[in-house]
Amino acid sequence: MNQYGMLVDLTKCIGCRGCQVACKQWNDMPAELTRNRGTYQNPPRLTSKTLTNIEFREVELKDKLAWVFVKRQCMHCEHPGCVAACTVGALQKRAEGPVVYDENRCIGCRYCMYACPFGVPTFEWDQTFALIKKCELCIDRVDAGMKPACAKTCPAGAIQFGDREELLLVAHERVYAKNSPYIKHIYGEEEIGGTSWLYLSSVPFEQIGFPTLPKETPVYLNDKVLHATPTIALGMALALSGVYWMVKRRNVIREYLAAENHEK
Amino acid sequence: MAQKIARTFIGEIKSFPAWLWVLIALTVFGLGVGVYRLAAGLGTTTNLNHGYPWGLWIGFDLFVVAFSGGAFTLATLVYVFQMHEFHAATRPTVLTGLLGYVSVLLILVMDLGRWDRFYHFMIFPNINSALFEVSWCIMLYTTVLISEFSPVFFQRLGWQRVLGIIKKITVPLVIIGTTLSTLHQSSLGSLFIVMSERLHPLWYTPLIPFFFFVSSVAAGLAMIIGGATISYWVFKRSLPQKVVGSFGWFLPWVLGFYAIVKLGELLIVEEIGLLLTANIYSALFWSELLIGCAIPIVMFMSKTVRHNRVWTLIGAMFVLFGIFLNRFDAAWFALKPVPGFEYTPHWMEIAIQFGVLSAMAVVYTLIGRYFPLFEETMHNGDADKVQVVASAPAE
């Protein structure tokens, strides 16, 4: 099955934060009370009330100061650590790509927050009965044949929704075109096993806050270790039973020999 | 009649030593703060935050589970390897283990955002989740520990038939218990496998489940020694030092094996250089190895140490400190910091943690006072005919 993908071209983003607003509107999330921190970036980061956030990054580009606007949200990994980690299976990877969340299952253990290499899942620290919040790629909209709210609203065409394979082709074309302004790296193509979100940039990704990640996902190892559970259990139970039987037998033989010696 | 009961009751309470009252006060205070935590939420009562979603409580959970490993270690030695010389230590050790697990379960509920849904792990399984496996094993193993400990109550009540049944199924019960312990001690380590980007490479290894298991055996042996020594002082009943010391005899083997595999793994994956860089991580790792492994290995190799009650206890404390540090490193200190976030525990987190631990100490003390915890000293619940068999020898 083809998987959905999102392609963000950071060179096209104008930092209007329309996606942030559209996301809040669609997901019915309140504004946050924040302080002026000397930047347009607001709120400062992803929270349980802000599922996507534009970061205002200041970098040097060709010896000039430049702004790079970085859209943050769940990357929708191909092999999501959060889905592997979730104690109660509240986080699931849909066949079409999105990593979705069932708030009726979640127990608020926060293991997903550690399992995510991007630090995406957020917790409702201000609630008595607190849950996890994260972008679900507007799965309700997508299921109804619409684009995710952020892609729909982006006036600069920086966010493209579509088939991941097709978006990758588009991305490759742009990156490897003549006089391409982009660095030769499509973030998300291979990171931690690949993500649904793909990023193009003219600035190295590590300079704008993207974690440098290996191609391998730890999820395979995790699953392998946990699937060994029945084997380990059976092996241990058999080994212990074996030891019990042998020691018992040894003691019987010892007593028998002792009695025999005594008779002599 | 009622008056007489009330008078006996008051008399008993009046006989409680001062330290027991301190523990009871801590328990009551912790309980109050705990109720407030459940009503007010994690944000207002803890300093946990987006950068440190887990903190003091998870560190203690990991440590207390390893510490409670004494219960399965001893049960295996006594019932599977049939080393009957250790038998007299089983009841106090199983009780310590059981209370350890109960404290972990209580704190885990405290730690959940939706604590009212704590049972969800039973109805919504995710077989790929280490925490799912841990939850099941801890629940089942706590049940096993309750069964293993139940003869103490049945003996007090004089229920001979039930006592007989439990006695018959003890060996299978112990084998199930040790199997469950192997699983969850190691899968507490498996928790970290998916955290490859968070946990420092000195701790992150595919072998981490194995290390958690082996170190829980060491922590368990140290716990048995600690328990036996403390009950010698508190209850004036314990094992002869010769037997306590022989638990120490196992420690150099277990710890040596642990340290060799640990260093060997770092050597093979070519991360051994991290040990030679001067930073907080190498300092923490060296502390674990030196205090938790090297010093106790040298100590317990000496017969003089093993024959001395105080030195044996000090050696066991080194082991426990090393494993305490190891678990806190994995759950807190050695996790890659998230920019903009810091964590030091809130006083309420500390109050709840120590409240729960105090509650367990109070329960232990009361069971020690009123139930045949040291079975050789009481028979068939007839508390009046105390036969002191395993009492501490006068030194």
Side-chain angles (χ1 to χ4, degrees):
Chain A
M1 183 177 206
N2 286 357
Q3 297 210 335
Y4 295 129
M6 298 285 261
L7 177 64
V8 183
D9 189 333
L10 296 180
T11 65
K12 288 189 178 175
C13 178
I14 55 171
C16 71
R17 297 182 295 196
C19 52
Q20 242 176 259
V21 176
C23 177
K24 285 214 183 217
Q25 286 183 337
W26 181 257
N27 292 298
D28 202 12
M29 294 205 155
E32 286 184 68
L33 194 64
T34 52
R35 281 166 189 272
N36 187 337
R37 301 177 310 125
T39 163
Y40 287 107
Q41 182 177 325
N42 190 49
R45 53 156 299 114
L46 295 180
T47 68
S48 57
K49 296 182 187 75
T50 306
L51 304 186
T52 189
N53 195 36
I54 296 290
E55 289 178 4
F56 286 59
R57 295 269 174 180
E58 289 168 16
V59 294
E60 250 181 61
L61 196 61
K62 289 173 193 149
D63 295 333
K64 279 203 304 199
L65 188 70
W67 250 348
V68 178
F69 312 112
V70 184
K71 185 180 181 304
R72 296 272 176 220
Q73 75 295 309
C74 171
M75 298 290 283
H76 298 275
C77 300
E78 303 282 287
H79 307 283
C82 60
V83 170
C86 184
T87 317
V88 290
L91 289 157
Q92 297 283 351
K93 173 86 178 165
R94 289 258 302 247
E96 321 90 286
V99 176
V100 296
Y101 169 71
D102 180 353
E103 62 171 27
N104 294 320
R105 283 192 179 196
C106 180
I107 52 174
C109 72
R110 310 186 292 292
Y111 186 18
C112 53
M113 298 174 77
Y114 281 105
C116 177
F118 301 99
V120 164
T122 51
F123 187 67
E124 296 176 313
W125 295 105
D126 53 347
Q127 300 288 317
T128 293
F129 291 102
L131 293 167
I132 290 291
K133 293 283 169 194
K134 78 179 250 323
C135 156
E136 296 183 76
L137 210 82
C138 283
I139 188 67
D140 43 358
R141 290 177 60 91
V142 173
D143 278 347
M146 294 185 278
K147 288 178 185 178
C150 56
K152 165 91 178 167
T153 209
C154 182
I159 312 168
Q160 232 178 306
F161 171 71
D163 181 282
R164 185 175 185 269
E165 294 302 314
E166 281 169 26
L167 290 176
L168 261 177
L169 289 179
V170 173
H172 274 274
E173 244 168 60
R174 274 192 225 168
V175 166
Y176 294 102
K178 249 187 195 164
N179 299 327
S180 139
Y182 303 101
I183 55 155
K184 306 269 178 285
H185 182 181
I186 301 164
Y187 195 93
E189 185 179 9
E190 290 183 320
E191 268 74 14
I192 209 97
T195 61
S196 300
W197 282 71
L198 304 164
Y199 284 79
L200 298 181
S201 166
S202 53
V203 186
F205 286 103
E206 59 271 21
Q207 285 181 27
I208 46 176
F210 284 81
T212 308
L213 297 173
K215 288 180 187 177
E216 301 80 33
T217 163
V219 169
Y220 288 129
L221 181 65
N222 176 80
D223 293 1
K224 219 156 91 185
V225 168
L226 282 149
H227 294 177
T229 304
T231 320
I232 295 170
L234 195 67
M236 197 68 192
L238 285 177
L240 290 167
S241 310
V243 168
Y244 172 77
W245 183 82
M246 281 194 316
V247 176
K248 195 161 189 173
R249 185 86 193 123
R250 185 199 65 185
N251 289 349
V252 168
I253 293 171
R254 263 191 198 164
E255 268 169 39
Y256 176 77
L257 289 177
E260 213 171 44
N261 279 344
H262 193 73
E263 274 170 27
K264 282 177 193 168
Chain B
M1 184 63 190
Q3 236 178 357
K4 199 188 159 201
I5 292 171
R7 214 173 294 144
T8 331
F9 188 68
I10 291 165
E12 280 297 330
I13 285 183
K14 274 186 181 161
S15 73
F16 286 179
W19 56 262
L20 188 54
W21 284 113
V22 173
L23 289 176
I24 291 170
L26 282 172
T27 304
V28 173
F29 183 63
L31 183 76
V33 179
V35 170
Y36 178 67
R37 136 72 192 104
L38 295 180
L42 284 163
T44 39
T45 53
T46 71
N47 282 345
L48 299 171
N49 55 52
H50 183 81
Y52 292 90
W54 291 351
L56 179 82
W57 288 342
I58 296 287
F60 260 101
D61 289 342
L62 293 180
F63 171 68
V64 171
V65 169
F67 172 84
S68 305
F72 87 83
T73 308
L74 184 63
T76 308
L77 289 178
V78 171
Y79 291 102
V80 177
F81 287 86
Q82 294 155 63
M83 299 179 173
H84 297 294
E85 64 270 32
F86 297 141
H87 188 261
T90 45
R91 282 187 176 182
T93 307
V94 167
L95 178 60
T96 313
L98 172 58
L99 295 176
Y101 277 93
V102 171
S103 77
V104 168
L105 288 171
L106 289 173
I107 290 289
L108 280 176
V109 171
M110 283 283 153
D111 222 335
L112 291 181
R114 285 298 302 255
W115 50 269
D116 55 317
R117 293 178 175 173
F118 70 91
Y119 59 88
H120 270 202
F121 75 93
M122 290 187 247
I123 50 177
F124 299 120
N126 174 16
I127 56 158
N128 293 329
S129 168
L131 206 51
F132 169 74
E133 183 181 325
V134 169
S135 310
W136 266 100
C137 286
I138 288 189
M139 183 187 70
L140 293 176
Y141 184 54
T142 307
T143 317
V144 168
L145 283 173
I146 292 171
S147 321
E148 283 180 7
F149 192 67
S150 63
V152 174
F153 297 103
F154 295 137
Q155 194 180 338
R156 187 80 171 84
L157 295 168
W159 292 8
Q160 293 305 325
R161 265 189 50 204
V162 192
L163 213 55
I165 293 169
I166 302 255
K167 209 162 192 177
K168 267 198 191 118
I169 60 164
T170 300
V171 173
L173 213 53
V174 166
I175 289 176
I176 292 168
T178 303
T179 304
L180 288 169
S181 292
T182 314
L183 294 182
H184 74 256
Q185 294 285 1
S186 60
S187 53
L188 278 173
S190 314
L191 272 187
F192 295 91
I193 284 181
V194 81
M195 297 189 199
S196 53
E197 298 310 311
R198 271 317 282 282
L199 188 60
H200 190 275
L202 277 175
W203 287 269
Y204 185 82
T205 149
L207 291 183
I208 193 169
F210 172 78
F211 289 139
F212 265 57
F213 174 69
V214 176
S215 57
S216 81
V217 174
L221 288 165
M223 175 270 245
I224 303 168
I225 293 172
T229 314
I230 288 168
S231 71
Y232 170 78
W233 286 321
V234 175
F235 298 105
K236 313 285 177 221
R237 295 197 194 106
S238 188
L239 300 168
Q241 179 56 28
K242 207 177 149 234
V243 178
V244 177
S246 52
F247 289 116
W249 179 87
F250 291 103
L251 275 168
W253 295 99
V254 180
L255 290 172
F257 176 61
Y258 175 71
I260 287 169
V261 180
K262 215 161 185 187
L263 290 171
E265 194 266 347
L266 287 175
L267 206 65
I268 288 167
V269 299
E270 291 168 3
E271 281 170 359
I272 198 92
L274 291 170
L275 276 181
L276 304 172
T277 46
N279 57 29
I280 178 76
Y281 301 110
S282 58
L284 286 168
F285 198 90
W286 277 113
S287 313
E288 275 183 32
L289 275 187
L290 289 177
I291 303 173
C293 288
I295 295 176
I297 286 174
V298 173
M299 282 181 76
F300 283 113
M301 273 163 52
S302 141
K303 229 180 204 170
T304 337
V305 169
R306 295 203 303 268
H307 287 178
N308 182 297
R309 220 173 260 282
V310 177
W311 279 114
T312 309
L313 180 67
I314 292 172
M317 288 298 161
F318 277 123
V319 176
L320 289 177
F321 177 82
I323 287 152
F324 183 84
L325 193 58
N326 174 260
R327 297 308 196 259
F328 271 77
D329 284 340
W332 177 358
F333 307 142
L335 291 174
K336 198 165 82 183
V338 179
F341 290 98
E342 273 175 37
Y343 168 73
T344 37
H346 194 279
W347 69 263
M348 289 200 215
E349 285 173 69
I350 299 170
I352 291 172
Q353 182 67 55
F354 282 91
V356 168
L357 293 178
S358 305
M360 298 307 130
V362 170
V363 172
Y364 189 101
T365 312
L366 294 182
I367 291 180
R369 276 171 87 106
Y370 301 114
F371 290 89
L373 181 55
F374 303 90
E375 61 187 311
E376 280 77 4
T377 61
M378 289 187 186
H379 285 286
N380 307 332
D382 194 351
D384 296 321
K385 290 183 206 153
V386 174
Q387 291 186 3
V388 183
V389 173
S391 77
E395 276 181 351

